Amino acid sequence: MPRPWGCSLGPIGANTKGADRRTSLLLDQAQRADLSISVLAPQPELRIRPRFYEADVHGMKAPLGDLFEAVGIHFFPGNADSIDTEGRSVSYTDTHGQPQHIAYDRLILAAGSQVARPAVPGLAEHAFDVDQMESAMRLEQHLVDLAALPASPTRNTVVVCGGGFTGIETATEMPTRLRSILGADAALRVVIVDRGAQVGAALGEGITPSIVAACEQAGVEWLAGASVLAVDAAGVTLDNGEHIASNTVIWTVGVKASPLTAHVAGERDTFGRLKVDGHLKVLGQEHVYATGDTAWAAVDDLGNYALMTCQHAIPMGRHAGNNAAADLLGLQPVLYRQPKYVTCLDLGDWGAAFSEGWERELKLHGQEGKALKRQINSVWIYPPAADRALALAAADPMIAIV
């Protein structure tokens, strides 16, 4: 049996998209049957994490088994526990709870990120999040269960901690979600608590007017320049001493790279991402590539670096897969560069805001922006069909994303 040399660590998400199909393409072109590609992840499915702020979270996934089979990828179900870069192996726990290991010649670390949970009293016990499918489903069930409680300001108030991308999308979607559960006439209160000095401070002046308009229409309040000191079963306590009574506190403040990055020696950024070269190989490592939310990678020659978003993870996956295969085949790697930066922020029923450039110049807003956001969320971030030719073509690192 060919030695499994390429191993993308899960959970499979936007961070792995294209990596394994691109390695398949190069091996296919080189007609090398002595090498194989292996994926290690908890389940053979793409979980559509960028959509976990929406309702019906259980359906936000796409099966990958047929796609893997179509392009010749070996799938190993399990959770990675540790990485031995000296011995070139990964230890993992399989679906039966048994310890296993898999050897590699080249490793692509695509384990993504997770919400940062600082040592805020009560945070772990009482706050919800939309970071992973399981936690987003837990929040959804909690919202449904609110209908069984007596109507009160505490029941009808949702506090979203953090006014970044995820916090805004979660908060502006929340009034519609709550009314579908509690009734159209329910007296709702949705509050965003954010350290920024003004509404939407983290996203720039170009998008701020759209955020303000959407929040005004939805009735979402902002508490700017505020921090959460503690969370309890009845709400949150702010740094000014105010306590907001709420049965539903959602934490969206920051992310950090997968803990698996700690098993790979190398320099890191403040989010824990491994610093990589222009080909996405981890600095100081000969056999390890990092991609998506595990990699701190330059997107241009002007000092800009990839953000922890799917718009960067998708092309990074293509490049990492290409370059890991090229490394073994003795071919020239492809330089990762993605100079065009865009954002598309969902803003609930009001619409969405689409911007271009690192200064986030607004290009579309309202329902025009919403139409683009729907296309992104329902088409662009999903995997291709389980057709070998189409799938391998979609893995080309030279495809322009935006």
Side-chain angles (χ1 to χ4, degrees):
M1 177 180 176
R3 175 175 176 168
W5 65 267
C7 181
S8 292
L9 301 181
I12 290 173
N15 298 306
T16 67
K17 291 180 73 173
D20 306 302
R21 288 180 280 115
R22 181 57 187 175
T23 53
S24 292
L25 177 58
L26 282 192
L27 297 186
D28 196 53
Q29 293 172 341
Q31 297 184 343
R32 290 285 295 271
D34 59 324
L35 301 174
S36 68
I37 306 160
S38 300
V39 171
L40 169 63
Q43 57 278 317
E45 63 187 23
L46 173 66
R47 294 189 166 188
I48 315 300
R49 189 183 183 197
R51 298 187 64 183
F52 287 173
Y53 64 93
E54 300 180 40
D56 301 320
V57 180
H58 64 279
M60 305 298 182
K61 58 187 177 182
L64 294 175
D66 290 344
L67 179 60
F68 285 163
E69 183 176 353
V71 297
I73 292 170
H74 303 278
F75 178 72
F76 290 80
N79 288 283
D81 300 314
S82 63
I83 301 170
D84 178 5
T85 56
E86 294 295 326
R88 282 193 261 172
S89 68
V90 178
S91 297
Y92 70 98
T93 302
D94 66 20
T95 53
H96 301 291
Q98 298 300 309
Q100 305 287 348
H101 76 275
I102 182 172
Y104 66 84
D105 289 310
R106 295 296 183 273
L107 173 70
I108 302 173
L109 181 60
S113 61
Q114 60 190 45
V115 66
R117 285 183 169 269
V120 174
L123 177 62
E125 297 85 356
H126 303 295
F128 296 89
D129 65 67
V130 293
D131 185 57
Q132 303 297 325
M133 176 169 281
E134 290 80 6
S135 59
M137 289 175 63
R138 175 172 165 261
L139 169 62
E140 185 158 39
Q141 185 60 55
H142 166 78
L143 295 177
V144 171
D145 292 343
L146 289 176
L149 300 178
S152 70
T154 303
R155 185 199 71 166
N156 292 0
T157 297
V158 172
V159 178
V160 177
C161 307
F165 216 92
T166 301
I168 293 171
E169 292 194 322
T170 301
T172 53
E173 187 77 9
M174 190 56 60
T176 297
R177 295 181 66 178
L178 288 174
R179 288 191 179 94
S180 70
I181 297 168
L182 303 179
D185 298 326
L188 305 177
R189 186 186 183 198
V190 177
V191 184
I192 296 176
V193 179
D194 187 56
R195 295 176 181 174
Q198 61 186 29
V199 173
L203 295 179
E205 296 181 359
I207 303 179
T208 296
S210 296
I211 299 172
V212 171
C215 288
E216 288 179 350
Q217 177 176 304
V220 174
E221 302 174 35
W222 273 76
L223 292 180
S227 297
V228 174
L229 288 188
V231 184
D232 57 56
V236 299
T237 301
L238 306 183
D239 55 354
N240 63 1
E242 179 185 358
H243 185 271
I244 302 176
S246 172
N247 289 139
T248 311
V249 177
I250 306 172
W251 188 262
T252 71
V253 186
V255 294
K256 59 182 180 180
S258 165
L260 288 171
T261 56
H263 297 266
V264 179
E267 296 180 65
R268 291 166 175 77
D269 73 347
T270 56
F271 299 104
R273 297 181 296 178
L274 290 159
K275 295 187 177 182
V276 298
D277 64 17
H279 302 135
L280 302 183
K281 182 180 285 188
V282 176
L283 297 180
Q285 296 287 339
E286 288 298 315
H287 309 106
V288 181
Y289 292 78
T291 187
D293 288 359
T294 67
W296 189 68
V299 297
D300 56 30
D301 299 318
L302 302 175
N304 296 309
Y305 289 82
L307 301 182
M308 299 165 89
T309 65
C310 61
Q311 77 162 293
H312 289 130
I314 294 173
M316 288 173 73
R318 290 169 174 155
H319 282 77
N322 179 89
N323 292 340
D327 198 4
L328 280 177
L329 296 172
L331 302 175
Q332 188 68 26
V334 176
L335 181 68
Y336 167 67
R337 286 295 183 264
Q338 192 180 351
K340 187 173 183 181
Y341 172 66
V342 303
T343 61
C344 196
L345 177 69
D346 204 347
L347 293 169
D349 290 343
W350 181 88
F354 173 75
S355 69
E356 293 183 354
W358 291 95
E359 298 301 319
R360 295 193 173 107
E361 181 182 354
L362 186 66
K363 295 296 184 180
L364 297 173
H365 65 280
Q367 293 307 307
E368 282 187 309
K370 191 75 166 185
L372 178 59
K373 185 67 173 181
R374 289 195 182 102
Q375 185 176 14
I376 293 170
N377 275 6
S378 62
V379 179
W380 293 8
I381 61 177
Y382 278 74
D387 177 280
R388 183 176 179 85
L390 292 176
L392 295 183
D396 188 343
M398 305 313 294
I399 294 175
I401 295 295
V402 293

